[in-house]
Amino acid sequence: MFILQRTEFDRLLTALQQRGYCVLGPTVRDGAIAYDEVPSSDNFPVGWTDEQRNGAYRLKKRTDNALFGYVVGPYSWKKFLFPPVLKLFSAKRNGKSFDAQPTTHNSQLTKFAFIGVRSCELHALGIQDTIFTKGEYIDPHYQSLREQVFVIAVNCTEAGGTCFCVSMNTGPKASSGFDLALTEIINEKEHYFVVESGSEQGKEILKELSLPAADATSIKEASRRVQNAAQHMGKTMNTTNVKQLLQENFEHPRWDDTAKRCLTCANCTMVCPTCFCTTVEDVTDLTGEHAERWRKWDSCFTMDFSYIHGGSIRPSVKARYRQWMTHKLSTWFDQFGTSGCVGCGRCITWCPVGIDITEEVRAIQNNRIKEQLPVSV
């Protein structure tokens, strides 16, 4: 491990830029933490933190100048690899036929360096990799971009009000899937990062920066701060047998209770770093000589998403919420061998009515426990 002083931080960004990377990281936009291009550390949310709870989010100033003093905002990294809107192909009339031109997927045009990726988000990227690159059907656009991404993770030293990554075994310390991992340490006299490499590309960057080795005290302090975050999660979820639990409680009365509160606004699916529902739209010009096909993000909460000939197969709010949560925590295992939830807490924070996925699981679990108790006489 090595030490990167705060005053030397921009050297890291420069090293990435010189390698042709578009450096993307956290910044403040529209009153929230957003991921965008960050030419220098001046663009980072210096001295800002976020307060999150059920249905509530706000930024506030910290008492220090931390670069990564927040948790996560409403945006996830998937938007750069799996964009909300993507043209699949265009077609031009050619007599009685037409010529189709698919969208090219040239990764050399855009090389991304993600900086500030939390452990839960690393796991989300891993899930998206499975969905788009390891199945029978591969998404060429996603794959071409993903192969070129340089990932700089940041270990969490503070937990958010809706975080539950410890319950999902996805954090707060990054264990794999990164090129470099940073742990930010600030005290009265010092501001520096403990840096760990996770790939050959990461080692090359560290070699170029010629950073000093981290001493035992710094490594111990970094570990202590990460452990502190792990012990102060805002939420918890008991995941024991949750896959089977949801499959066996398809008609549980809790679904009706949740449906009374849910607005089917789709906020939870839009902020989720692993959701991948899409729709396809065809458009033509007024002459009928040119047509295009576009892929756009969609949500299982919309009425039209499950529409087939004769109507929607999930017409009720209850059916749509149950589909989302059961897929995320149960049937996702059948499809991809893992949970679809990484414990980032975004769905809780950005739900307008504060529906809490951890509480929904707990309610069904508690009801099952009561049913299994012996009847007193």
Side-chain angles (χ1 to χ4, degrees), residues 144-159:
S144 65
L145 292 173
R146 184 67 173 97
E147 290 173 346
Q148 300 294 320
V149 172
F150 189 96
V151 176
I152 301 180
V154 170
N155 294 318
C156 294
T157 56
E158 298 178 20

Side-chain angles (χ1 to χ4, degrees), residues 75-78 82 120-121 124-125 127-128 268-276 328 340-347:
Y75 304 96
S76 65
W77 300 98
K78 75 176 182 182
F82 173 50
C120 62
E121 297 179 306
L125 285 172
I127 291 172
Q128 295 260 293
C268 53
T269 59
M270 294 296 104
V271 298
C272 177
T274 66
C275 279
F276 59 95
K328 189 69 61 177
C341 176
V342 295
C344 68
R346 285 183 173 96
C347 61

Side-chain angles (χ1 to χ4, degrees), residues 44-303:
F44 281 63
V46 179
W48 287 98
T49 190
D50 49 11
E51 286 188 343
Q52 302 190 43
R53 61 181 187 276
N54 295 38
Y57 175 99
R58 71 166 183 168
L59 293 182
K60 72 172 188 178
K61 292 296 292 183
R62 294 172 58 92
T63 57
D64 56 32
N65 290 317
L67 296 187
F68 302 100
Y70 61 95
V71 184
V72 292
Y75 304 96
S76 65
W77 300 98
K78 75 176 182 182
K79 72 173 186 174
F80 300 106
L81 306 176
F82 173 50
V85 179
L86 175 67
K87 184 169 73 172
L88 299 177
F89 69 81
S90 58
K92 190 174 182 179
R93 184 186 295 276
N94 183 6
K96 294 184 177 181
S97 184
F98 62 90
D99 297 322
Q101 182 63 46
T103 301
T104 57
H105 309 286
N106 188 348
S107 61
Q108 298 304 316
L109 297 178
T110 306
K111 289 172 55 179
F112 292 132
F114 295 165
I115 183 166
V117 184
R118 305 294 177 159
S119 181
C120 62
E121 297 179 306
L122 286 174
H123 283 79
L125 285 172
I127 291 172
Q128 295 260 293
D129 290 346
T130 298
I131 294 168
F132 293 121
T133 68
K134 298 179 182 179
E136 183 178 357
Y137 304 101
I138 293 175
D139 184 324
H141 181 81
Y142 181 96
Q143 185 179 50
S144 65
L145 292 173
R146 184 67 173 97
E147 290 173 346
Q148 300 294 320
V149 172
F150 189 96
V151 176
I152 301 180
V154 170
N155 294 318
C156 294
T157 56
E158 298 178 20
T162 58
C163 294
F164 57 103
C165 64
V166 170
S167 298
M168 308 309 294
N169 294 317
T170 58
K173 179 176 173 54
S175 57
S176 63
F178 58 84
D179 296 289
L180 294 174
L182 311 177
T183 305
E184 186 171 22
I185 296 177
I186 306 178
N187 54 43
E188 293 181 357
K189 299 180 180 180
E190 300 174 298
H191 187 177
Y192 63 92
F193 301 87
V194 175
V195 188
E196 176 186 1
S197 64
S199 71
E200 289 302 317
Q201 294 88 339
K203 291 178 181 178
E204 290 176 6
I205 292 287
L206 292 180
K207 184 177 180 180
E208 178 181 328
L209 296 177
S210 299
L211 301 178
D215 58 25
T217 300
S218 297
I219 294 174
K220 184 177 180 179
E221 178 62 14
S223 178
R224 184 193 69 80
R225 295 191 179 211
V226 172
Q227 286 299 315
N228 180 68
Q231 294 166 5
H232 293 86
M233 290 285 110
K235 302 286 183 179
T236 60
M237 180 190 291
N238 180 2
T239 59
T240 304
N241 296 325
V242 71
K243 176 180 185 293
Q244 182 179 0
L245 175 80
L246 296 180
Q247 291 177 346
E248 292 177 350
N249 286 271
F250 201 66
E251 295 300 334
H252 195 283
R254 182 68 181 191
W255 301 121
D256 294 297
D257 176 75
T258 307
K260 294 176 183 177
R261 293 174 286 142
C262 179
L263 305 177
T264 66
C265 66
N267 266 19
C268 53
T269 59
M270 294 296 104
V271 298
C272 177
T274 66
C275 279
F276 59 95
C277 290
T278 59
T279 187
V280 173
E281 295 182 4
D282 292 331
V283 295
T284 61
D285 62 11
L286 293 176
T287 67
E289 297 293 319
H290 181 81
E292 295 176 346
R293 174 164 291 178
W294 292 79
R295 184 184 73 187
K296 299 181 179 181
W297 284 4
D298 203 348
S299 172
C300 56
F301 278 92
T302 63
M303 181 72 78

Side-chain angles (χ1 to χ4, degrees), residues 284-335:
T284 61
D285 62 11
L286 293 176
T287 67
E289 297 293 319
H290 181 81
E292 295 176 346
R293 174 164 291 178
W294 292 79
R295 184 184 73 187
K296 299 181 179 181
W297 284 4
D298 203 348
S299 172
C300 56
F301 278 92
T302 63
M303 181 72 78
D304 290 340
F305 186 78
S306 64
Y307 184 90
I308 57 176
H309 179 68
S312 174
I313 61 174
R314 299 190 191 97
S316 69
V317 175
K318 169 185 174 181
R320 296 200 289 279
Y321 185 87
R322 180 178 59 195
Q323 155 63 22
W324 173 74
M325 182 170 148
T326 302
H327 185 208
K328 189 69 61 177
L329 298 175
S330 181
T331 55
W332 204 292
F333 283 97
D334 299 324
Q335 282 185 284

